[in-house]
Every structure is written in structure tokens, then in C-alpha cells.
Amino acid sequence: MNVPNLMTLARFMLIPIYILVFAYGARYIAFLIILVAGLTDIVDGYIARRTNQITKVGVMLDPLADKSMMLAVMVSLLWSGDLSWSAAAAMAVRDLGMIVGSAFFHFRGLQTVPANWMGKLTTVLLYVAIMWIFFQLPYAEMLLWGVIIFSFVTSIMYIIQFRGLNQVEAPISSVNKGERL
């Protein structure tokens, strides 16, 4: 257990706190909790890379904490009527797919793809879109849909990287060697 992993665990603990605060109607405090979670995501990644404390557990738990927080935010905004069912469904399909896929492949001993710049940009854009929704700014839903589309593009890039990391070459048969039968 290291500092970045402890910060990731702290993000998991912020989820029920966020839900309670949002449920009691303290939207601005709830949004601050989301920001704290986002900042710890940035800081723990920075510390892990800077001090060479990247662990397999951290690589798996970090995006899981982020996706879990976003799912909680999505459900709360859906519950309050600030988020459409279609946007929530699109986000849930993508996030649950990423969570289940990463866990499935991790436990099968395959390498998972660490966060890259596209994933980080997706997260930042999602936080911006959520802020617009929280504060009911114009075009918030349109911005969110742009982020959702970008997140699916990012997911496709992760799948391509995953396949490249875990590609197993097929044995070369006599036909592949160019020999005649």
C-alpha cells in the first residue's frame, strides 16, 4: 500500500459522502466533493509516476474509482432530472464496459492499458460537462453528448492498445512458412 493507492481508496470513500450530500440538496457542496475526487485523481497519478510508485493494483483501482464516482454522479443527476436517460444510458454502457472489461482481463492475467492522454482529456471534459449540468448552463446537454462521443472514441483507442499489448502470435505452420504441401 502506498500514498497514491491510499488516495485512490479515499476517492472510493468520497462516493457515499457525495451521494448523501447530494440527496440532502447541498448541490454546491456535492460539486465540491466531485472536484476533490477529481483533484485526488490528478495528484495520485502524478505522485505515482513521479516517485515510481505505479502498481498493478493502482492501475486497476484508479480508473475504477473514477468510473464509480462518475456513475454515482450520473445516477444522482438522473434522479434529480438534470440528466436525460439517453445520456445516462450511453455513459453507463461505456463506463460499465470499461470497468467489467478491465477487471475481467486483469483477473485473467492479461495486461491492462494504463490511462493515456486521451483518457485524461475525456475525464477533464466530463468534469467540465458535469459542472455545466450542475450549474444549469446553456448547452450543457450538447456539451455532454460531445464528451460522450469522444469517450467512445477513447474507448476504441484503449481496445486497440489492449489488443496490441496482449497480442499472441499464432504458431507458424508449414503453409505460413511458404513450404509446398
Side-chain angles (χ1 to χ4, degrees):
M1 188 58 58
N2 59 29
V3 172
N5 288 347
L6 286 172
M7 292 177 78
T8 297
L9 292 177
R11 284 205 326 274
F12 278 110
M13 291 187 288
L14 286 174
I15 294 168
I17 295 169
Y18 163 79
I19 292 169
L20 286 172
V21 169
F22 188 90
Y24 281 104
R27 288 177 72 99
Y28 297 114
I29 295 171
F31 184 74
L32 287 175
I33 293 169
I34 295 169
L35 286 181
V36 168
L39 289 174
T40 60
D41 186 22
I42 293 167
V43 171
D44 75 15
Y46 176 79
I47 291 171
R49 285 186 301 280
R50 187 82 167 149
T51 61
N52 199 25
Q53 294 185 45
I54 297 172
T55 64
K56 287 183 181 182
V57 170
V59 167
M60 187 181 79
L61 287 181
D62 185 70
L64 181 60
D66 183 45
K67 301 294 178 247
S68 298
M69 176 58 92
M70 284 300 118
L71 285 171
V73 170
M74 228 178 19
V75 169
S76 66
L77 291 173
L78 188 61
W79 176 70
S80 69
D82 293 319
L83 183 65
S84 69
W85 280 98
S86 57
M91 291 171 62
V93 164
R94 189 256 181 185
D95 286 352
L96 288 172
M98 295 291 284
I99 290 168
V100 170
S102 291
F104 177 79
F105 293 118
H106 173 79
F107 289 118
R108 291 207 172 245
L110 297 173
Q111 295 181 41
T112 54
V113 178
N116 63 26
W117 70 270
M118 283 183 71
K120 292 173 195 247
L121 179 59
T122 300
T123 301
V124 169
L125 292 173
L126 185 55
Y127 276 94
V128 169
I130 287 171
M131 179 185 71
W132 280 40
I133 291 169
F134 255 82
F135 298 112
Q136 300 174 334
L137 297 174
Y139 308 109
E141 182 97 2
M142 188 182 305
L143 174 62
L144 179 62
W145 275 107
V147 174
I148 290 169
I149 291 166
F150 185 72
S151 75
F152 276 95
V153 170
T154 301
S155 295
I156 292 167
M157 298 307 294
Y158 274 113
I159 291 167
I160 291 168
Q161 288 179 330
F162 172 80
R163 289 184 61 142
L165 273 176
N166 293 289
Q167 186 173 10
V168 178
E169 291 187 27
I172 300 174
S173 69
S174 60
V175 173
N176 291 339
K177 291 180 186 176
E179 296 176 6
R180 295 201 169 153
L181 298 176

